Amino acid sequence: MSKLRSIIDGVMRLDPDAEAIEFREVWHSWRELTDVIDGLEEIFAANAIGAGSRIAGVLRNTPQIAAAIVGLLISDRCIVTLNPLLPEEKLVADVAALKAPVIFAAAEDWSRDEFRKAAFASKALCLEIPSTAGDPVKVLNALGDGDFRSDAEGIGIEMLTSGTTGTPKRIPLKARNFERMILDAAVFERRDVNETPRLRRAVSILNTPFSHIGGLVGLFICLSAGRRACMLERFQVGPFVAAIERHQPKAVSAPPSGLRMILDADVPKEKLASLSVFRTGTAPLDPDLADAFFDRYGIPVLQNYGATEFAGGVAGWTMQDFKTHGKSCRGSVGRMNPGVEGRVVDAETGDPLPFGESGLLELRAKYLGDGVSWMRTNDIARMDEENFLWILGRADNAIIRGGFKIIPDDVVRSIETHPAVREACVIALPDPRLGEVPAAAYLVKSGQSLEPDALRAYLRERLTPYQVPVQLLQLDEMPRTPSMKVSQPELKKLFEAA
């Protein structure tokens, strides 16, 4: 990552005492970040932890953890992500399976007894990242003679997928691909990556967890641009809106569920007055939701499309495209990004399909896979002649009910047309006679009520009989992954317990 290292290192050392990251309404300087990076380097040098080494980290959203992430990636080491939101038993199992020679975490996570015991038992070098300026990185457990998998040369991140539809998988992302994606992002911001690094007064609001690829991408884009950051631990309407009022950004991002929460909270329009655009991703965006947000606040919602496997985004809307194609391409996730090719193929034959027909999406780009071959996704899509892309659902979560195929997104869209519904999710439940059947959980808007029988009657007028969920469950809140997608495995447990 020689180019990205040069840019970020240049930014961080321009004015060491300048404001870098605001966290819990307290500013932290660039010096505080470089102190963490330099402290880690000293420890790694003493323990012969060089480039290509696997370093596991519990990635909480804090300035000091952010510094550790940046330092590791620009020094060509591999970050193995550990999710702080995992239940302790799952985190312990993850530590045992990873066999990483180094584990770092904040004091908050080292206070988790079972996690600490598992990390120490692995004989890994265990490091506590400080939370206070001036405090050093602490060695909690010396490096021992453990059964480690140490080398990951060329890999920048071993990233956990969100686990939306099943057990999370760890995806190896090549360092050069991640670097290329961050540098390419400058195109959308009209920045020249070859210009001399400089600090900017603008503030980016970072609210996506670092345990999600979007959180890491956002962090690196912000720092490489020399912008200050307002870091939130996660998306919550109150702190998010307060940050907008405090820093007056022109653009922010949040998942579609965040848009729903803002609308449901009836946030006054003047509190979002600085915004000229609201970006969203990580989950499908209902175009009716985008329209409702625009009608309420006058702020265009620009969607992007990507995944952990793609090291981030591969398609998205620009403001110019919104102005010229917003109505005609309503519901699209935008145009393919520069340097990314897309095509739609027949699921069985693999033959490319004409524009406008639906099939499986395949992608090709220099930073995807080997950079030459087409990469097949599980997304059902269509494209048009202008390179706009529509994501219609996923081939791997279709529900087959007694031979009838149900696309969950079709059912979700029908549920969310009900004026009392804020959000819905549809999953498959096993059935001894039909194989599997659809079940739906839903949230109602503030001040609204909607009994399951009333919703079922509503859906019978809008869906075919086999599409109507056999179970409807009203919840106060959905179980979510770190990226704020609905966790289908956890939702299934709620149905099983109901």
Side-chain angles (χ1 to χ4, degrees):
M1 290 194 179
S2 58
K3 181 66 176 178
L4 189 58
R5 180 193 308 122
S6 175
I7 293 171
I8 290 183
D9 192 61
V11 165
M12 296 181 80
R13 300 185 191 274
L14 276 172
D15 185 356
D17 294 318
E19 296 173 342
I21 297 177
E22 183 201 64
F23 182 66
R24 297 176 180 170
E25 300 191 36
V26 175
W27 280 102
H28 298 260
S29 69
W30 294 105
R31 188 187 305 279
E32 291 179 53
L33 306 186
T34 55
D35 281 351
V36 172
I37 294 172
D38 294 344
L40 284 170
E41 282 297 331
E42 289 181 16
I43 294 170
F44 291 153
N47 288 274
I49 305 294
S53 298
R54 299 172 71 243
I55 315 292
V58 182
L59 303 188
R60 287 193 180 274
N61 280 31
T62 73
Q64 296 80 12
I65 293 291
I69 292 168
V70 170
L72 291 171
L73 280 176
I74 65 175
S75 63
D76 294 322
R77 296 180 176 91
C78 171
I79 293 181
V80 184
T81 62
L82 290 168
N83 184 352
L85 300 182
L86 285 178
E88 191 159 13
E89 64 272 15
K90 291 186 178 180
L91 189 59
V92 166
D94 215 7
V95 167
L98 289 176
K99 299 183 178 181
V102 182
I103 302 172
F104 71 87
E108 180 178 357
D109 290 300
W110 286 122
S111 67
R112 301 166 74 172
D113 289 341
E114 295 305 314
F115 164 67
R116 184 185 180 109
K117 289 176 184 176
F120 284 17
S122 74
K123 299 184 180 180
L125 175 63
C126 296
L127 306 176
E128 181 181 302
I129 304 300
S131 58
T132 304
D135 286 355
V137 178
K138 296 179 182 177
V139 176
L140 302 182
N141 192 61
L143 181 63
D145 185 21
D147 178 21
F148 300 127
R149 288 190 292 112
S150 301
D151 187 47
E153 186 175 356
I155 303 300
I157 309 168
E158 290 183 19
M159 193 83 216
L160 271 179
T161 58
S162 60
T164 306
T165 57
T167 303
K169 306 185 296 291
R170 197 164 261 107
I171 304 294
L173 303 178
K174 292 181 180 178
R176 62 177 175 82
N177 293 351
F178 183 79
E179 178 185 42
R180 183 73 263 157
M181 183 184 58
I182 300 302
L183 297 178
D184 285 349
V187 173
F188 285 92
E189 298 184 353
R190 299 180 181 178
R191 285 188 288 110
D192 183 357
V193 296
N194 295 310
E195 69 180 8
T196 302
R198 63 189 179 93
L199 299 182
R200 304 168 195 264
R201 294 298 301 169
V203 176
S204 293
I205 298 175
L206 306 180
N207 57 269
T208 303
F210 293 150
S211 53
H212 183 268
I213 186 63
L216 298 185
V217 170
L219 172 66
F220 273 82
I221 290 175
C222 176
L223 297 187
S224 64
R227 285 195 295 271
R228 299 179 297 162
C230 169
M231 184 177 295
L232 305 179
E233 294 166 82
R234 61 188 185 278
F235 181 86
Q236 293 175 295
V237 173
F240 182 73
V241 172
I244 293 172
E245 288 190 281
R246 201 161 57 247
H247 299 297
Q248 299 290 293
K250 293 183 179 179
V252 293
S253 64
S257 56
L259 293 172
R260 294 185 189 279
M261 292 176 190
I262 291 171
L263 283 169
D264 191 49
D266 196 22
V267 172
K269 185 175 181 179
E270 58 270 19
K271 290 182 179 291
L272 307 182
S274 70
L275 299 180
S276 58
V277 63
F278 199 116
R279 297 191 177 278
T280 191
T282 75
L285 172 67
D286 182 346
D288 289 340
L289 173 60
D291 291 347
F293 196 87
F294 183 77
D295 291 343
R296 175 71 175 86
Y297 297 107
I299 302 170
V301 178
L302 305 187
Q303 188 178 13
N304 60 50
Y305 164 75
T308 301
E309 295 89 332
F310 312 148
V314 296
W317 282 90
T318 64
M319 195 62 190
Q320 184 57 49
D321 279 343
F322 178 82
K323 291 176 180 178
T324 55
H325 299 280
K327 291 184 178 179
S328 61
C329 295
R330 182 178 182 269
S332 167
V333 298
R335 240 192 263 256
M336 304 303 297
N337 288 353
V340 181
E341 297 177 82
R343 68 180 185 181
V344 176
V345 302
D346 183 276
E348 295 183 3
T349 67
D351 294 334
L353 296 173
F355 291 122
E357 291 194 19
S358 63
L360 286 180
L361 176 66
E362 291 189 341
L363 300 166
R364 183 166 64 181
K366 289 182 179 179
Y367 63 82
L368 297 179
D370 61 11
V372 177
S373 305
W374 287 96
M375 178 184 290
R376 179 168 292 190
T377 75
N378 284 315
D379 289 322
I380 303 168
R382 65 179 174 89
M383 293 181 65
D384 70 7
E385 296 85 346
E386 297 288 334
N387 239 13
F388 280 95
L389 173 68
W390 282 258
I391 301 298
L392 308 178
R394 287 183 63 85
D396 58 354
N397 72 344
I399 299 169
I400 308 301
R401 180 180 184 176
F404 292 97
K405 186 176 183 179
I406 302 166
I407 302 300
D409 286 349
D410 292 341
V411 183
V412 167
R413 280 190 285 268
S414 292
I415 296 172
E416 290 180 349
T417 62
H418 194 289
V421 173
R422 187 178 103 194
E423 185 178 2
C425 182
V426 173
I427 63 170
L429 295 180
D431 183 89
R433 185 172 64 88
L434 299 173
E436 54 186 5
V437 292
Y442 65 98
L443 310 178
V444 297
K445 297 175 181 177
S446 295
Q448 299 282 338
S449 62
L450 179 63
E451 293 299 320
D453 286 346
L455 178 56
R456 184 174 288 107
Y458 178 85
L459 294 176
R460 282 173 176 157
E461 297 178 356
R462 289 160 176 80
L463 296 171
T464 58
Y466 64 82
Q467 288 179 302
V468 176
V470 298
Q471 290 189 52
L472 291 167
L473 182 63
Q474 182 179 339
L475 299 175
D476 293 328
E477 195 51 73
M478 296 283 190
R480 298 190 186 277
T481 68
S483 59
M484 290 188 67
K485 297 178 183 177
V486 177
S487 171
Q488 294 191 18
E490 294 303 313
L491 187 58
K492 187 175 181 180
K493 291 179 184 178
L494 294 180
F495 276 103
E496 291 171 349

